[in-house]
Amino acid sequence: MRTYRLVIACPDRVGIVAKVSNFLALYNGWINEASHHSDEQSGWFFMRHEIRAESLPFGIEAFREAFAPIAEEFSMTWRVTDSAQKKRVVLMASRESHCLADLLHRWHTDELDCDIPCVISNHNDLRSMVEWHGIPFFHVPVDPKDKAPAFAEVSRLVQEHAADVVVLARYMQILPPQLCQDYAEKVINIHHSFLPSFVGAKPYHQAALRGVKLIGATCHYVTEELDAGPIIEQDVVRVSHADSIEDMVRFGRDVEKMVLARGLRYHLEDRVLVHGNKTVVFD
Amino acid sequence: MRTYRLVIACPDRVGIVAKVSNFLALYNGWINEASHHSDEQSGWFFMRHEIRAESLPFGIEAFREAFAPIAEEFSMTWRVTDSAQKKRVVLMASRESHCLADLLHRWHTDELDCDIPCVISNHNDLRSMVEWHGIPFFHVPVDPKDKAPAFAEVSRLVQEHAADVVVLARYMQILPPQLCQDYAEKVINIHHSFLPSFVGAKPYHQAALRGVKLIGATCHYVTEELDAGPIIEQDVVRVSHADSIEDMVRFGRDVEKMVLARGLRYHLEDRVLVHGNKTVVFD
Amino acid sequence: MRTYRLVIACPDRVGIVAKVSNFLALYNGWINEASHHSDEQSGWFFMRHEIRAESLPFGIEAFREAFAPIAEEFSMTWRVTDSAQKKRVVLMASRESHCLADLLHRWHTDELDCDIPCVISNHNDLRSMVEWHGIPFFHVPVDPKDKAPAFAEVSRLVQEHAADVVVLARYMQILPPQLCQDYAEKVINIHHSFLPSFVGAKPYHQAALRGVKLIGATCHYVTEELDAGPIIEQDVVRVSHADSIEDMVRFGRDVEKMVLARGLRYHLEDRVLVHGNKTVVFD
Amino acid sequence: MRTYRLVIACPDRVGIVAKVSNFLALYNGWINEASHHSDEQSGWFFMRHEIRAESLPFGIEAFREAFAPIAEEFSMTWRVTDSAQKKRVVLMASRESHCLADLLHRWHTDELDCDIPCVISNHNDLRSMVEWHGIPFFHVPVDPKDKAPAFAEVSRLVQEHAADVVVLARYMQILPPQLCQDYAEKVINIHHSFLPSFVGAKPYHQAALRGVKLIGATCHYVTEELDAGPIIEQDVVRVSHADSIEDMVRFGRDVEKMVLARGLRYHLEDRVLVHGNKTVVFD
């Protein structure tokens, strides 16, 4: 069913819900789903409505125009999106295929509602898997001594393919600050630890060294600071002394792909609102 | 913070949210929390608002009067409750203390916001534990050959103590149909299995016999049909071949008390809406 | 690392471990992993050793001969397998691809240590996916009015491909009794509910109707009685009133594939011992 | 059932299991439970046997003498304990009662198999709760300007009560280095975060600030370095943007008490082997 998703953040006060729901009722908008969050600490209010498109007398542009005065009155940060307009997701991967294969399969079976205009990788290993899905694959090797040309090419490809979202599906390279800024809140990473534990390289080795009893994965927006961006989703799995690092890596793969798939889905359905370094996720 | 909780169920249509939020905005009601659920299958709409009491210009009775016409217009099943008016919870137990002790401790430390006018048990074992908390304890033995007098006494005690809720904290006796009807949606039971598996007696033995790899507990409203009432909350814990029935019973105790405590809390905060044999839980 | 897996079940008594470990020590066998389970209720003892093959002075046949007298002395049901001899797994699927794709990917990336000589399906939909992996695909349609010819063909294919294990990766057809008997403890099914709840067709619909708060999946050996065979592995995921049946199906897919992959792995590594209708799983 | 628990750690080599199980078989020892772990990275071997006491022809002292030569031959770090000889557990708490009340209840209902000679607290709040259980309560206030006298008194009480274990059940004070050394691997703490995340004070505030989607608790042995000792057990619970710090504290309490109870039980049953800064837990 086609829906419009109206997503709002603004300073909290009396009358916001009334104003917005009046607006929707005025135009006979049928609310499929409504979520609210009043954040006492920051004094902000967050809100997401999913409205049946066919119940409204106008399209998304007219919606935007009609709603703009209300948004202004309440100093809202807001957006309205059309579920029929699929987001364009550029996937980036390296050599390990578990996250990429998982996302491709979900897309292939229509579970993940998006377009995937291309996959970019610094290695050529996964080309055949990607191309079987009918998706263009770009091999952009990264020269460790001079990474700039590779990232220039990545940026070019991302722009050329009009990406709405970039997903680092175990890409294993740190993006340059400029790219992080250009695509703020639009680059999603999966880190293979339960952040903030074990930032950086080889988190499973770090976890084994510390002797933790659970390992995890974290899906977050990429910011300039490594592994420090707003967290979208996390999960863990139990390990024991009997598990080698290889076992942890294997268990971890399953957590990584589940957490990334959930995080990306939330993003695609406009369920994630970033505020400061935290997220509101209306799941 | 004192709040009013407005809980509504009605046939779904356009304009419900607008009407209700207009009503609240009209009186400057500050919404702390709002939850909605549009059930496509039944065509019903469910809604819960938590409004700061001090933001409204009137008390709960005036609220009820003012809201009644709207409720009628939309054929609502509804209630508004005052968080300051603690619900009266009569606890019933048998010999095993884990659920009772857990609820008493949560009450003792102000985690569970209710009054406990008394505890009723068919055994005398837990008297001292209850009385240490300053709560009256009634020992009502049940004669297996003639249970009617005991349940008459139970009914009398429940009424005398003006119970809003009756919690069967491992009471291990089946309530008579009349009591189930009199207190429909007001008697909460904890069953020591993951329902609908293992209805009735000795569920851990049934679980061991079947060789399941997880065992669970279910908090539900009591209806005339045994272990078949609307489910409020469930959870499970992993077991293995290495666990004896005694181990299962031990693991199970922890799940039982957690699930019951969560279920009761949802009920006390008016987060549970029963519809048919199912619940909407706005947690 | 190549290992031999010695798997034993026998009536419990003093001296079993000593006898077996003496045998291993006598031949300088290096024990990588050892698991024991003494089942008080049945009076049986279960045991699994994983021994480095290169530490032993003989091959698997000589191992078998040398160990046979001990096995006889203790009336053991036993087997010893060679990790280098990959089990042959015939996968069966229908139209839904999530379990099949998951297993194929794990095999493709060497996570699942087995051979997959072929995939059999009653539909042709998944041919291309299977063939991309370089695995033969057999389309054996099942005529609802006369299923016998199809199952005769399935049996023939299974035998022709010398299957050690048959995995029903959401095959959605009930195997005939003869096939269940011929491949006792060798056919692994994934049922999309937390058994024993919701046996048979449309378990997610049954779950939605009952209003459970968790849904699950069960990996079990197939026996003649539907969904009643020995359980290898189970898991659950939380759902709420907000989740439609479609949501449940989607959440369930992830649980199904995880549970099936874990269960199959246990089987392939000879970690599962069936006793009566229950399993010992040395994970 | 009375058992002896033989717990062994030594450099790995061929023949350890044979030697130990021969020893047990020689004296007709009936093995109830046996666990092994061969740690490839460190090259160490860990082992725990639970043997029915009545099956052996001698008591624990004779056991020790008879086993000593074997232990020496294999350079074992080892101990054998008698399940009938209850460990003496001194509990320490501050003002918050959830962990203390939970442990006391488990002890009161014979779930926790130990003696509790006394409870020590820096506040007087929990005296009545402790004394209801028939356990002596010592109030040892800690002067923030001069903590030494208090800790001298704590040490004296711990020694006077012949503690085998000291449990910091949310004691909220950092023990002096000397006490940590004197009771190495004998002081168990519960930290209210998923370590190594959020070491030190106010971990729930730190968690809220970072916007994590799961919070946890960690049970560990106390060492001189704050919150850095060997981890025995951990667990987590899901939180969301909707949860205030107060909610996190409330959810966290349940995780804390479960994790501490499990960790302490493992310790009491001699299931924990410390090696370096990590633990082997034969659960």
Side-chain angles (χ1 to χ4, degrees), chain A residues 12 31 34 54 66 70-71 93 95-97 110 121 149 171 175 180 184 211 217 225 238 242 254 272:
Chain A
D12 204 355
I31 300 169
E54 98 241 347
I70 295 171
R95 273 196 167 116
E96 283 205 76
S97 61
D110 292 328
S121 178
Y171 177 56
L175 294 192
C180 296
E225 192 185 339
R238 192 160 281 272
D254 282 336
V272 191

Side-chain angles (χ1 to χ4, degrees), chain D residues 52-71:
Chain D
R52 295 190 191 179
E54 98 242 347
S55 71
L56 289 168
F58 43 47
I60 192 122
E61 275 314 320
F63 190 120
R64 273 187 198 118
E65 266 175 58
F67 191 73
I70 297 171

